Amino acid sequence: MFLTLLFDDAVVTPAQLRDRALRAAAGFAACGVGEGDVIAVMLRNEPAAVEAILAARHAGAYWCGLNWHFKAAEARWVLEDSGAKLLVVHADLLAQIADGIPAGVKVLAVRPRPLTVRQYKLQPETALPQGVQMWDAWLQGFAPAQGEMKRARGFMPYTSGTTGRPKGVKRAPSDAALAAATAAIGRAVFGIGPDARALLCAPLYHSAPASYINFCAQAGATLRLEPRFDAQRLLELVERDRSTHLYLVPTMYQRLLRLPDAQRAAHDIGSVRFVASTGSPCPPQVKKAMIDWWGPVINEAYASSETGYVTFIGSGEWLAHPGSVGRAVGGALLKILDDDGNEVPAGTTGLIYARQPAYPDFVYANDTSGARAAMERDGLVTLGDMGYLDAEGYLYICDRKSDMVISGGVNIYPAEIEAALSMLPGVADCAVFGIPDEEWGEALAAAVQPRPGAVLSQDDVKAFLREHLAGYKVPKLVEFHAQLPREDTGKIFKRKLRAPHWEKAGRAI
């Protein structure tokens, strides 16, 4: 099916979207893109991105989303590693990656729309490199593709690369039974049906927003696509469109909650029925504040590019089990294991292992290091997240094992400290991580981004945390940053914060 797409003042009907997507599918075939091949998409949220995604799906090709912040070396890695045959890219982004586009990759440029130009304050575009064609003109050179849709391959995401090079997650093609099971998962975690008026402002190069597009299309829903998130504009759009469904991440919640009370109260959000969230853990106090404001419409799922959606929890369940990310969804298998692979009792923290049978299995593209095999035990895989299951099967996330700090033999989970620190007035963003310590092996450090106009000191931060946490959880060092290195989905690049400390000590991270 095809969705109704809203962008700025334009309305793209399902018939119009179908026509353009099928023209693109025919064009892909003319460029030598066949079943199982890869196209790359480096676009901000615009209709052309949806057209390319749906075209790849029809053609049975994978599509690989490139973060539009990438520079040449980063783009080259993904383009070469994925084997992409074709790249669809915003025209203004070409200059920053031109030296990283491998020879033989067909390049199609998309002129940013006026809304995107305004929101990103883009400069007038320069002339295109030789051989690059414009997307709109290129589409008109093809009649819509005929025949049945090929077996869908879907999204080929590249993991965020917090350690080492990003890895491409490549799934086997789905069959009818798996497609039906995956669709059921989508209905559960996103709540989307044909009557949905959805709003998406998270970047499509991430797995969950990419899934959101797919499920909206399958349901034949109406979707407003926004180039970027703006808290005030989001409230205006919800009120204007009478939006029923949204995908938001915790950093978006925090920005919404920071709006002055008068701005928050000025907009009618009563049409909202379902807000989906995944991507990074939501601090309990933030989620509670959103439920208090928006009502029992805030939903959360635990998921990853590799496992798909594993757990789900709605507002009512969460209020009874605060801090949980829910119970297994769609027949997911979920276990907590110790380092030796033994299942641990309820309430005991260990590595989270999971498998979602509604999804085809995956491999990492060009995996020569055995990374895929190393993460598996008895058919279940782990992403290194630490957590526990309670007696009722509710999952609680403690932290990433790679983020866990071992100080004097004691395991410390930074996520707990970050949740407490985010309650300190004047803190806009924060991250806690381990730094080398001669006596204890590791010590805690906190990176704090103050809110505009706020005045904070190390002593303020430490004193506040001592009121809420055991003394050994209070960071030894507090740094202040104008901006912390976060992705648009809320994931923070802790490696960038840790690296200077470990390099100074002459030790590897």
Side-chain angles (χ1 to χ4, degrees):
M1 298 181 69
F2 288 86
L3 65 158
T4 299
L5 189 61
L6 310 180
F7 187 85
D8 199 6
D9 295 328
V11 178
V12 184
T13 68
Q16 291 169 329
L17 184 56
R18 180 180 187 276
D19 178 78
R20 290 179 65 85
L22 292 184
R23 287 177 185 273
F28 291 166
C31 292
V33 176
E35 277 195 80
D37 288 334
V38 178
I39 71 156
V41 177
M42 190 176 178
L43 298 172
R44 304 175 187 87
N45 291 10
E46 284 198 346
V50 181
E51 295 163 5
I53 290 167
L54 296 180
R57 182 175 179 81
H58 184 87
Y62 294 96
W63 73 274
C64 177
L66 272 67
N67 186 321
W68 50 264
H69 296 91
F70 277 177
K71 299 301 189 291
E74 296 163 309
R76 176 177 290 279
W77 166 257
V78 174
L79 291 170
E80 290 183 341
D81 191 67
S82 68
K85 290 190 171 182
L86 182 144
L87 169 65
V88 188
V89 57
H90 263 136
D92 67 295
L93 300 175
L94 265 172
Q96 73 189 46
I97 64 163
D99 292 340
I101 301 175
V105 174
K106 172 72 174 178
V107 180
L108 298 167
V110 176
R111 181 173 290 107
R113 296 201 176 196
L115 176 63
T116 305
V117 172
R118 292 196 303 273
Q119 290 195 355
Y120 285 97
K121 298 180 174 58
L122 302 181
Q123 299 301 312
E125 63 188 61
T126 56
L128 295 177
Q130 188 174 0
V132 174
Q133 292 179 267
M134 295 303 297
W135 175 255
D136 286 338
W138 178 80
L139 279 186
Q140 297 311 308
F142 302 97
Q146 302 297 313
E148 293 295 317
M149 174 179 164
K150 305 294 192 299
R151 292 181 68 188
R153 264 70 175 182
F155 187 39
M156 182 181 173
Y158 269 70
T159 58
S160 57
T162 52
T163 55
R165 292 280 201 177
K167 300 183 292 293
V169 180
K170 199 170 188 177
R171 293 195 185 279
S174 192
D175 58 26
L178 282 176
T182 304
I185 296 286
R187 288 191 294 272
V189 301
F190 292 137
I192 296 169
D195 63 338
R197 296 188 301 278
L199 172 59
L200 179 64
C201 47
L204 293 175
Y205 54 73
H206 284 294
S207 294
S211 296
Y212 205 77
I213 289 283
N214 185 43
F215 289 123
C216 283
Q218 289 183 10
T222 296
L223 173 69
R224 175 170 292 283
L225 193 61
E226 276 288 290
R228 70 184 308 173
F229 171 80
D230 177 87
Q232 175 63 32
R233 179 171 167 82
L234 181 130
L235 295 180
E236 294 169 357
L237 290 172
V238 168
E239 182 175 39
R240 188 182 78 186
D241 290 349
R242 307 306 298 153
S243 302
T244 59
H245 292 68
L246 296 90
Y247 174 83
L248 301 173
V249 297
T251 51
M252 296 175 181
Y253 292 157
Q254 291 172 334
R255 292 172 190 174
L256 285 162
L257 290 165
R258 288 180 198 141
L259 290 174
D261 291 343
Q263 283 180 257
R264 289 167 54 179
H267 299 283
D268 179 5
I269 55 171
S271 60
V272 177
R273 304 200 305 259
F274 198 106
V275 179
S277 179
T278 187
S280 61
C282 186
Q285 70 277 9
V286 171
K287 191 168 184 181
K288 177 63 164 56
M290 283 298 297
I291 294 172
D292 289 344
W293 176 17
W294 287 44
V297 299
I298 308 297
N299 304 278
E300 187 173 1
Y302 172 65
S304 70
S305 298
E306 290 88 344
T307 63
Y309 295 92
V310 176
T311 70
F312 174 80
I313 192 166
S315 291
E317 274 188 294
W318 187 88
L319 290 170
H321 302 270
S324 173
V325 292
R327 290 195 283 191
V329 65
L333 305 173
L334 186 61
K335 291 183 180 181
I336 309 297
L337 306 181
D338 62 21
D339 288 340
D340 296 323
N342 302 309
E343 195 165 358
V344 301
T348 303
T349 298
L351 276 169
I352 302 168
Y353 279 80
R355 179 173 176 268
Q356 176 51 267
Y359 291 88
D361 198 10
F362 76 95
V363 297
Y364 286 127
N366 308 309
D367 181 13
T368 58
S369 65
R372 171 66 177 83
M375 65 194 297
E376 183 172 348
R377 281 187 186 268
D378 300 325
L380 308 181
V381 298
T382 183
L383 275 299
D385 291 332
M386 305 288 289
Y388 65 91
L389 291 167
D390 69 12
E392 297 177 76
Y394 285 89
L395 178 64
Y396 294 77
I397 308 295
C398 295
D399 219 327
R400 299 274 306 177
K401 187 173 184 180
S402 59
D403 288 340
M404 184 178 73
V405 177
I406 304 175
S407 183
V410 177
N411 293 347
I412 305 174
Y413 299 104
E416 177 189 12
I417 305 166
E418 291 163 354
L421 185 50
S422 67
M423 294 188 294
L424 172 60
V427 171
D429 203 357
C430 62
V432 176
F433 51 94
I435 59 174
D437 185 275
E438 289 187 7
E439 181 178 2
W440 301 102
E442 280 187 286
L444 290 171
V448 175
Q449 177 185 325
R451 293 186 182 183
V455 178
L456 293 171
S457 69
Q458 281 207 56
D459 290 342
D460 294 332
V461 171
K462 292 180 180 181
F464 179 84
L465 289 176
R466 284 193 190 98
E467 294 177 7
H468 295 84
L469 300 171
Y472 71 88
K473 297 178 183 178
V474 176
K476 177 181 178 180
L477 173 69
V478 179
E479 304 173 328
F480 294 96
H481 296 254
Q483 191 78 33
L484 295 188
R486 278 191 182 271
E487 293 188 65
D488 293 334
T489 56
K491 291 183 180 179
I492 196 162
F493 291 113
K494 287 191 178 181
R495 186 181 182 88
K496 294 182 179 180
L497 296 171
R498 287 193 296 254
H501 298 279
W502 291 87
E503 289 168 2
K504 184 178 179 180
R507 294 164 61 182
I509 297 177

